[in-house]
Amino acid sequence: MDQLSFGRNLSEKMMSKIISMGEPKTVAGNCCLFREGEYHNSVYLIVKGNVLLDTFVQGRKFIELLTLSDGEFLGCSPIISTRPMSLRATTLTETQLIVFQADELKDYCEIDHDFGYQFMKEIACIFARRLMATRLQLLDLFLPPDVDSAVKPKVT
């Protein structure tokens, strides 16, 4: 578990507690873990594998946003709210996961406030990194094909 990107700032005791709350699961490639718009209570830690996050855009089909891999946490939304999932997650390869129930994690955060504070800081960092990655994707998406002509004023 030392190579995990999730939980680097958590103590070994806290990571052990988190891991003990999950169930290992291996999922085949090209398997949908959750869909945009559905309610979902599971969250995942990717032990080994790759998971694509994408979103449906009317008139453009699915737009790929981010690929997650070994050591990353996935499906954080149910920890924060009971709203539907905002993205779709699909395994690209056979993927080894640790599956958690969001309600169980939230309940433990309420019981042990020190744990809860540190855990939620990790979740906030995940959201911040993914928001930045999505922002960069959007900037790239809306960048004119010929950047030079977009920057240069037209001379008449």
Side-chain angles (χ1 to χ4, degrees):
M1 292 294 157
D2 293 336
Q3 68 274 23
L4 298 178
S5 59
F6 173 78
R8 272 190 235 160
N9 299 318
L10 298 177
S11 70
E12 191 174 315
K13 181 180 175 185
M14 285 183 180
M15 276 308 292
S16 293
K17 178 59 183 173
I18 292 169
I19 300 301
S20 74
M21 295 169 73
E23 293 291 326
K25 181 177 183 177
T26 300
V27 178
N30 200 35
C31 178
C32 183
L33 296 175
F34 54 81
R35 289 177 176 75
E36 186 173 359
E38 78 179 11
Y39 290 89
H40 197 72
N41 189 48
S42 295
V43 293
Y44 309 88
L45 180 60
I46 302 169
V47 176
K48 184 168 178 47
N50 296 295
V51 178
L52 173 70
L53 297 179
D54 60 11
T55 187
F56 184 77
V57 176
Q58 192 68 28
R60 295 185 105 177
K61 300 188 180 180
F62 283 94
I63 303 293
E64 296 180 7
L65 296 175
L66 192 61
T67 299
L68 304 177
S69 59
D70 304 1
E72 296 191 83
F73 210 72
L74 167 66
C76 303
S77 297
I79 292 174
I80 305 301
S81 74
T82 57
R83 301 174 95 183
M85 301 304 283
S86 58
L87 300 172
R88 178 176 69 168
T90 307
T91 57
L92 296 175
T93 59
E94 180 177 275
T95 304
Q96 296 172 12
L97 304 163
I98 299 176
V99 183
F100 305 92
Q101 295 307 304
D103 291 341
E104 186 179 352
L105 287 169
K106 287 190 293 189
D107 289 347
Y108 193 73
C109 287
E110 288 291 330
I111 292 167
D112 183 339
H113 292 158
D114 291 335
F115 171 90
Y117 175 72
Q118 295 300 323
F119 180 74
M120 289 302 180
K121 275 179 35 178
E122 286 289 312
I123 298 300
C125 287
I126 290 169
F127 277 117
R129 281 192 308 271
R130 296 204 184 139
L131 183 60
M132 179 57 74
T134 302
R135 179 177 177 264
L136 294 173
Q137 285 275 45
L138 287 172
L139 288 174
D140 191 43
L141 183 69
F142 292 112
L143 188 67
D146 184 4
V147 177
D148 291 338
S149 66
V151 175
K152 295 178 187 174
K154 290 185 179 181
V155 179
T156 54

